[in-house]
Amino acid sequence: MATRLCIAAVVLCVLTTTLATAVLAARKHSPLLEDNALPKKGYRVTECQFGKQLKEIGSIWFADLGPPFGVMYCIKCECVQVQKKRRIIGRVQCRNIKNDCPKPNCEEPILLPGKCCKSCPGEDAKDFVQDPPDEEEKSMKHFAAVLTGKSTKSSSDFKKTDFPPMPMQEMGLDYVATGRFTFYKKNLYFSFYTNKPKRPRLVQFIDTYGNIIEEIALLSSTCYQNLTGKICGVWRRVSKDYKRLLREEKISVSLFWDAAIIGGSLYRFRALDTETFSSLLTGDARDSGGTSIVSISTISPSIHVQIMFNGPFTGQDSGSFLVKLKYAGNERVIIEETIRVDKLTNGTVVVELQSPVTFSDLNALSKRDVVVTLEAKQSSFKLQGVVVPRVYCDLYQTLVSSNGHQIDSKKDRTSGVAWAFINKDGALEYRVKFDNNAVTELAIVSSESRVSALDISETIVQNWSNGTVFTVGPVHLEQLYAEELSLFSASSGFKNRFLWRPVADARDTPGAMLLSSPDERSMVGMLWMAVDSDCTLQYEVVLSGSNVKNRIFELYIEDSPTLLPGAPVFRRLLEEFEGPTLEGYTIGLGQEELLRINVNIVHVDLWDPKLGQSILKTEWKYVNVPAICYAREGGAGTGDNDSNNILMNDDETDHPHTPHLSCLHGQKYYQHGAQWTSSVDECFMCNCHHGSVICDLIICPVVQCTVPSAKPGMCCPTCEDNTFENQNISTNSCLLAGQQFQAGSSWHPYLPPSGFDTCTLCHCNNTSLKIKCQRMDCPPLECDQRVAIRPTKRSCCKVCPSTLQTTSKPTGPLVQLAQGDQQVNGESGSDLEILTNGGCSYPVGGPYENGQEWHPKIYSHGEVKCINCKCKDGKVRCDRKKCPKWSSCSDPCCKSVCRRHKRQLFKY
């Protein structure tokens, strides 16, 4: 029984620590960026962090404490939403559900594996379902929005509108944007076109009550976004509650610039499933803008256009609009139609038209030669925009793998990766990488005979083929968006189909990496990897081969060590997964880890744990860690310089999740826990603690001679009559923790990371060359141990406060503390000396000397005499005056206690 209680106590302690860490590590909101200021981390506020996992609001799971405890099936955790002003944030709540178990109807119930409740033999135990299966998302896959300013609405109307409240300053009245939103694997990917060249810096998603339910910082544009002119990003792990709001069209989105904010609601449109082209419609009227969703058919040439727009239609019940599709150069009209709208509001208005066209008109769409115009019949209201490639941030990727039946030699087999996308000019950008130089013919083909092949053989240079196809027509676009185009090479024997993927984070990088191996020719992999604005490592792996399905793999990253003595090899397991695909993330990377992968060549290794060997490998050369990841407290380089930095009482529990990182000091690497004499100044001792270099000035013990002398190359003074001073230190010395000490010398031991132990004195015996360390004995105290204080932070023995008040200089054992100990009395001189000698800093009136007492002061109330504060050994403790029941009512600090006691007596 006692053993069970002990185990239960340990488990409860570990669980409490884990839950506290998870709650404290939950993401918080960072304020808006200031001009020319270093950007702060753009936290996603709607998630909960539990250990190394991120959970969306509404998710339920059992607490997993890891080995040796494993999953605690009776501890159910949930990520709940908490209102914090206008923001919705996630908080972890865990509780023991064992008391909710029904009582079994048998005498000897059993506990089945993976269950919390006991059940009778042959019966199923009550199961608490965690993370219910996702609802069908096909009906809510695509959304669109028009974002404009809002000058006609007062701040009191904002909670009922689709725009977040803010002070009535300039709110982007001439800023317009259109967005597209796509669900893919629990994530909402977003894409925007704007009418301004400057990129917005922030995206917010807002509910109907004006609450911010998600906020994402936008960093500088990437290669993909520069080539496409789009703004891309993702809202990860959308909870089921917000999915419901999306289905009900009750979520809006806002874009933030330095001096402007625009917003609009998300709406579902059936035409988004077949959208081929888009347009951003702008005009002269303030608060107005729109977008068109253009779908085409190339079998029987036709166009379908759906336009959604905002405008100043106050006081109008209905209206007629003239919609035109015309050539930009010669104004020749392709489609012209007048559409009547029966109900006009200040919200979004939708019109649509459809018409057969010629094939040359479809070609003009793909060449950006067509303009959409919308004019109101009753007013001068007008919007127009050029038809451009569709707004979606997406690309099409494939793995290249030769057909083994067509290639006789195993060495001639070709593997590779390829991806393609449409740029802002409507041309097809493609990137192909092979693992050898055997490919000589290459083309992009379709399974339909009516679609001509695009020969790209001339762009092959060694094992790369990069280029742009400017002759992409509407048929090729239609085939590409339908995932019916393939990369083909007759000479190398492969034909692999391009598959759609949304672009953000890992896929928003300069390129994909090829996972291959000369020993594993039957398998090939594609890897996307990036560090996002949250300093989270995002990655996606796609494998192809005959033996990848249902096979277990492990994904590792390791960097190439710098050519310095003792340089470590950094290797980290990212995730174990079952093939053939993986899309995951790793949070909690340390700043040194981020710095190392940013400056070194990183190798990504696909490992087979069953075989115990590497299967596929690649080099990660496109590492780009955002600058905000180094701007957090205690930057990447903190502690790398020599300084007199004393880190006291810092044990391993202060870094529960920090890996034991190495330290770089003086062109040499040192492992965690190592100590050495500084190469910059020999009078400093340094140690490596969790990747940080901590250096302390050597504390010299008191020597037993009247006139000590400092020898060249020695930091501490010695006595002249030392008979061993002229002898070779390497043969007449003692060795301790890698450090040599001259025979006959004494020193205080260096105990990293706390520094020198001034309470212990070590001595190297002249004859035996053995080290003997002895702790100093402190004299008995004449006062209570609880009120005794240390004269300095490094003092070994405590003294009574009265000793410091009557003695200007410590005597007895205090003299042997350390050379350089300051005088501790009321005449300490400076604030720095007070703090050095065990004093305390305090917001109002500080610093206070060690042992000093005072009443705290509050700006609005002055001195609070009922509270007494005391400084003891650098720490402040404040307590309210204790009042007994029979205290005098004349004491102002005890009036309430006295009156309460009198009322109780009167009651009885």
Side-chain angles (χ1 to χ4, degrees), residues 160-178:
K160 302 177 182 179
T161 66
D162 56 4
F163 190 74
M166 68 166 293
M168 295 305 295
Q169 57 187 27
E170 180 185 356
M171 300 178 65
L173 304 182
D174 60 338
Y175 284 63
V176 182
T178 180

Side-chain angles (χ1 to χ4, degrees), residues 378-389:
Q378 299 82 5
S379 65
S380 60
F381 176 77
K382 180 179 180 179
L383 297 175
Q384 69 176 13
V386 179
V387 177
V388 296

Side-chain angles (χ1 to χ4, degrees), residues 850-907:
N850 195 4
Q852 186 175 350
E853 298 184 10
W854 71 95
H855 297 300
K857 293 181 180 180
I858 302 177
Y859 289 113
S860 57
H861 296 79
E863 188 177 46
V864 184
K865 294 185 178 296
C866 297
I867 296 178
N868 187 56
C869 296
K870 182 178 181 180
C871 173
K872 183 178 180 182
D873 300 336
K875 296 182 179 179
V876 177
R877 177 171 179 174
C878 297
D879 297 297
R880 181 176 292 276
K881 183 178 180 179
K882 295 182 180 179
C883 299
K885 290 184 179 180
W886 301 103
S887 60
S888 172
C889 290
S890 61
D891 189 342
C893 297
C894 300
K895 282 184 178 180
S896 59
V897 176
C898 177
R899 291 171 181 171
R900 191 183 308 114
H901 183 62
K902 286 184 176 181
R903 285 197 299 267
Q904 291 176 351
L905 291 176
F906 179 77
K907 180 178 179 181

Side-chain angles (χ1 to χ4, degrees), residues 137 140-147 177-184 187-193 203-205 216 231 233-235 246 251-255 263-269 272-273 275 291 308 391-393 500 502:
E137 297 177 358
M140 51 176 289
K141 185 175 182 180
H142 299 295
F143 296 81
V146 173
L147 290 77
T178 180
R180 299 293 185 271
F181 309 85
T182 302
F183 261 102
Y184 179 72
N187 306 319
L188 183 65
Y189 289 82
F190 56 80
S191 317
F192 294 100
Y193 276 142
V203 177
Q204 281 185 354
F205 291 89
I216 302 166
I231 299 165
V234 59
W235 173 4
L246 277 168
I251 286 184
S252 61
V253 63
S254 297
L255 289 178
S265 293
L266 276 65
Y267 296 105
R268 285 184 293 169
F269 294 98
L272 293 171
D273 294 335
E275 184 176 14
T291 185
M308 55 184 297
V391 184
Y392 293 107
C393 292
W500 171 86

